[in-house]
Amino acid sequence: MSLPDYLAILMFAAACGALMLGYGVAFTLGGISLIFAAIGVATGTFEPSFLLAIPGRIFPLITKEILMAVPLFVFMGVMLEKSKLAEDLLEAMADLFGSARGGLGVSVVLVGALLAASTGIVGATVVTMGLLSLPTMLKRGYAPSLASGAIAASGTLGQIIPPSIVLVILGDQLSNAYQEAQRAHGLQTDGVISVGDLFAGALLPGLILVGLYALYITFVAVIKPEMAPASARDKSVHISVFLKRVLKAMLPPILLIVAVLGSILYGYATPTRGAALGALGAILLAGYKLAEDRAGVRKLILLATFSIIAIIAIDLTGVDIRFEQETWQTIERIAFSAALLLSGLAILGVLGALAYLGKLGQLAAVSRQTMYITSMVFVILIGATMFSLVFRGFGGEDLVGALLAGAPGGPTGALVLVMVVMFFLGFFLDFIEITFVIVPLVAPPLLAMNLAGAGMPPVFMDPIWLGILMALNLQTSFLTPPFGFALFYLRGVAPPEVTTTALYKGVLPFIGIQIFVILLVALFPAIATSLPALMG
Amino acid sequence: MNADLLDLIGRSLQAIGWVFLPLLLLPVLSLLLPNSKRLTEFQTSLIGMIDSFNMAVGELVKYLLVALVVGVAFSVMAVKIFGQSWTKFDEAAIYFHATVILLGSSATLLAGEHVRVDIFYAKLTAKSKALVDLIGFYALLIPFCLVIIWNAQNFIGLAWTSLEGSTEASGIRGLFILKTFVSVFALMMLAQGLAIASRAALFLTGKPLPERPKHIDPLFAPHERESGL
């Protein structure tokens, strides 16, 4: 190895060490790489003109259309969270399933899968879930270990269930890596992958995880009822009133998520567009929910919601109502006028909801939080870009390639090596940082490796499969004691009667489930790849 | 645009930059001269100025996110239903998005929302946290920002020479302004970092800390909220 190689390795180690000190991640990544660039220039091993490329690299990242999905999904999530819709959803589910053994635990898993995802930050998700549901579960007699295990696990679960922003980021990085593999590593295929493909790929493994989590909790509740007792339903409330209340809290957010996900997977909208529609839906939902004593506002919002649904219904009938056409038929004229009128109503309702949320200060609070999360994500991306630029300047890329090529056990060995490294990085770095720094380095050489033996037609790794394995792997890493991210955050908000030992004991079965699903996806790639292929 | 004029503007901006550069030494200076009343006063008012400026910019640009949501949703409807699309409208969304990131990041830094690895940091005393912010500013944030500003000169200069706009004929002709925001971003981050490092220096020398803007949690206080959440 030569001096630049040593510097590249040292730089990586220094960045890991410096991150531990706790200065902003983005600036640590950027700053450390620049310090090493300076050392490189002084020793004649780094070309300073490399740094000239920085602004030209930053700019495309922040003007990329697909990454606009990040602020839009975050807006949707923060809006749903801040208007307490998630809380209502959990309460309603607890009411509905609470009278069954283990029912509350299953509700927590389902809500975690549905709503806690949208911000994409493990810490924030777990804290929200912990504050929201841990006290309720303990109050209703759940064993602290089972309660905290279920919450930590479902808090991280949201990460790999689409639509989640980490999948947007991972999908974008993988799509770049796939092109890089074709361009620079001689991968002979013209395939492309998209964020939508990754969403589709993650759906089945995610649902399997949800199912297994719920199954495990039910299993425990059956063999050890004292760990997950059923709570009596308030008998004074008539069943129909009760059901109505539960449906009212559950249906709208679930429909919204399903509609957004459906439109993206079905190909009706790109992830960015789907996210915008989702955020718009969240505005309407929050406006309706918060305008409890304002019947007028509520009516306006309801009207807008039905108008939007009606417009989409008109569109789905296939009647041609495009603005610029020559062949207007009577039915098309009628449909067109109706759609135009409905659009007007929809715009009016959205403006009404926005005005009302603005008056409450809700709009300002949601926008502020969304701005914080968005700039946090993109500034890390800027820092990580500087880091990779300097790392490449030292030839670190070839180093990683050589390391992977020389891994014992061929491509499988290289894959296992990458997974193990990512698993340990997951102890102290969040999903976003690992995706931005590690994926661009390891994914192109991995994707270009030939899995088939000599003399056979070449077989390559499926990028979607690789992405899903990475996502599952990181999610497990966040759960693993003693360093798992999710455990740290849950410890921070858990009441003192939940001991750390109980917390560790509680997550073990969920880690078992995770490992099982990772092996399942590793051995049967079709679990991840069949749905994207189906939607082609 | 006239190349000579641009060159002159560029040179003047650079000269202004060099003049203000020594300001970055302020936190260190105040650690070395803890008894200078004038220095403390100057520092306090500078922190106040930077904090309120960055806060105000953040409070303003955050509403672009609402415009982003409504704009993209509206354009989806227009395309999907009526087959209408306007390049300017679609590009505006990207301008909003990029502006929020570039001009809102310093407000994010002010609020302590740029995520840290807090496995060890969370357990540090307020004094050690202040020290981390002070050293981090000099070792990491200053190089980060200055390298962007220095290397962006050509990048932005070129954009201004042609008053660069969209590659589409009917697009927005403002790419050169958006590109300029890359430097503005680095400059605002540098200023915010200076304000935080100055605050850390005041704290380390036991001086009273200036107030933080509305909605923003105090820094280095005993009951500090965990950042990045």
Side-chain angles (χ1 to χ4, degrees), chain A residues 18-28 30-32 34-35 48 51-56 58-59 61-65 67-68 70-72 75 121 123-124 127 267-269 272-274 276-277 279-280 283 308 311-312 315 321-324 336 339-340 343 347 350 354 363-365 367-376 378-380 382-383 386 427-430 433 483 485 488-489 492, chain B residues 55 57-59 61-63 65-66 68-77 79-85 90 93-95 97-111 113-121 123-124 132-145 147-148 150-155 175 178-180 182 185 189 193 196 214-216 225-229:
Chain A
L19 282 170
M20 292 295 116
L21 294 176
Y23 198 64
V25 169
F27 318 118
T28 309
I32 289 288
L34 294 172
I35 292 172
L51 298 179
L52 266 177
I54 287 176
I58 294 175
F59 196 70
L61 297 175
I62 53 180
T63 48
K64 206 169 181 177
E65 205 249 346
L67 290 182
M68 243 161 60
V70 171
L72 294 168
F75 191 98
I121 298 154
V127 166
Y268 185 79
T272 305
R273 291 172 165 186
L277 292 178
L280 194 76
I283 289 175
I308 293 174
I311 297 171
I312 293 174
D315 184 45
I321 53 171
R322 277 172 307 149
F323 214 77
E324 280 159 26
F336 175 79
L340 210 56
S343 308
I347 290 172
V350 169
L354 282 176
L363 203 58
S367 309
R368 189 180 302 120
Q369 192 60 35
T370 308
M371 176 177 80
Y372 287 163
I373 296 175
T374 308
S375 28
M376 187 263 303
F378 280 87
V379 176
I380 292 178
I382 293 174
M386 281 190 193
F427 282 167
F428 53 91
L429 290 183
D430 211 331
E433 290 99 287
F483 292 117
F485 235 92
F488 266 104
Y489 284 108
Chain B
M55 182 78 192
V57 173
E59 288 297 289
V61 297
K62 71 171 195 255
Y63 286 110
L65 286 165
V66 181
L68 177 68
V69 170
V70 177
V72 177
F74 178 78
S75 89
V76 181
M77 287 306 222
V79 171
K80 283 281 166 193
I81 314 295
F82 299 112
Q84 283 288 305
S85 76
D90 292 340
I94 290 174
Y95 276 68
H97 166 72
T99 307
V100 170
I101 295 165
L102 291 174
L103 301 190
S105 283
S106 50
T108 308
L109 185 60
L110 165 69
E113 296 276 347
H114 280 293
V115 67
R116 303 168 185 265
V117 173
D118 50 9
I119 296 181
F120 300 113
Y121 183 82
K123 298 190 186 97
L124 295 182
V132 166
D133 272 357
L134 193 64
I135 297 171
F137 173 61
Y138 283 105
L140 304 169
L141 188 61
I142 290 186
F144 180 94
C145 296
V147 162
I148 292 180
W150 187 257
N151 289 304
Q153 293 180 79
N154 256 334
F155 175 75
L175 217 50
L178 204 57
K179 285 191 169 175
T180 312
V182 172
F185 155 79
M189 293 298 268
I196 291 174
K214 237 171 75 179
H215 304 300
I216 302 295
R225 206 176 61 121
E226 276 178 70
S227 57
L229 297 180

Side-chain angles (χ1 to χ4, degrees), chain B residues 7-193:
Chain B
D7 201 46
L8 185 71
I9 296 174
R11 272 167 206 284
S12 330
L13 283 176
Q14 210 187 72
I16 296 173
W18 285 116
V19 170
F20 279 93
L21 201 61
L23 264 186
L24 295 179
L25 291 174
L26 205 59
V28 169
L29 210 59
S30 77
L31 279 183
L32 295 176
L33 306 166
N35 296 322
S36 162
K37 215 168 165 196
R38 202 177 258 174
L39 197 62
T40 309
E41 273 169 18
F42 176 63
Q43 223 175 352
T44 308
S45 63
L46 187 71
I47 293 172
M49 259 162 58
I50 294 173
D51 277 6
S52 35
F53 176 77
N54 281 342
M55 182 78 192
V57 173
E59 288 297 289
L60 204 66
V61 297
K62 71 171 195 255
Y63 286 110
L64 289 178
L65 286 165
V66 181
L68 177 68
V69 170
V70 177
V72 177
F74 178 78
S75 89
V76 181
M77 287 306 222
V79 171
K80 283 281 166 193
I81 314 295
F82 299 112
Q84 283 288 305
S85 76
W86 302 273
T87 316
K88 276 204 171 66
F89 204 85
D90 292 340
E91 284 187 357
I94 290 174
Y95 276 68
F96 293 162
H97 166 72
T99 307
V100 170
I101 295 165
L102 291 174
L103 301 190
S105 283
S106 50
T108 308
L109 185 60
L110 165 69
E113 296 276 347
H114 280 293
V115 67
R116 303 168 185 265
V117 173
D118 50 9
I119 296 181
F120 300 113
Y121 183 82
K123 298 190 186 97
L124 295 182
T125 59
K127 253 205 162 95
S128 312
K129 284 183 182 172
L131 213 56
V132 166
D133 272 357
L134 193 64
I135 297 171
F137 173 61
Y138 283 105
L140 304 169
L141 188 61
I142 290 186
F144 180 94
C145 296
L146 288 185
V147 162
I148 292 180
I149 295 174
W150 187 257
N151 289 304
Q153 293 180 79
N154 256 334
F155 175 75
I156 295 170
L158 272 177
W160 275 81
T161 329
S162 61
L163 291 182
E164 190 182 354
S166 166
T167 42
E168 311 264 335
S170 56
I172 299 175
R173 305 211 38 198
L175 217 50
F176 63 104
I177 295 175
L178 204 57
K179 285 191 169 175
T180 312
F181 285 171
V182 172
S183 267
V184 177
F185 155 79
L187 205 62
M188 284 170 73
M189 293 298 268
L190 200 59
Q192 193 54 54

Side-chain angles (χ1 to χ4, degrees), chain A residues 100-103 105-107 109 142 146 210-225 228 510:
Chain A
R101 275 194 218 154
V106 174
S107 318
V109 171
Y142 271 65
L146 182 65
V210 176
L212 289 180
Y213 280 10
L215 210 63
Y216 166 72
I217 294 171
T218 319
F219 177 71
V220 171
V222 170
I223 61 161
K224 282 189 188 159
F510 292 95

Side-chain angles (χ1 to χ4, degrees), chain A residues 46 50 57 180 387-397 440-441:
Chain A
F46 185 84
F50 247 79
R57 290 279 180 105
E180 174 94 15
F387 187 85
S388 345
L389 195 70
V390 176
F391 194 73
R392 275 159 206 237
F394 281 124
E397 215 181 354
L441 284 177

Side-chain angles (χ1 to χ4, degrees), chain A residues 430-442:
Chain A
D430 211 331
F431 214 130
I432 301 167
E433 290 99 287
I434 298 178
T435 309
F436 285 155
V437 177
I438 304 295
V439 173
L441 284 177
V442 300

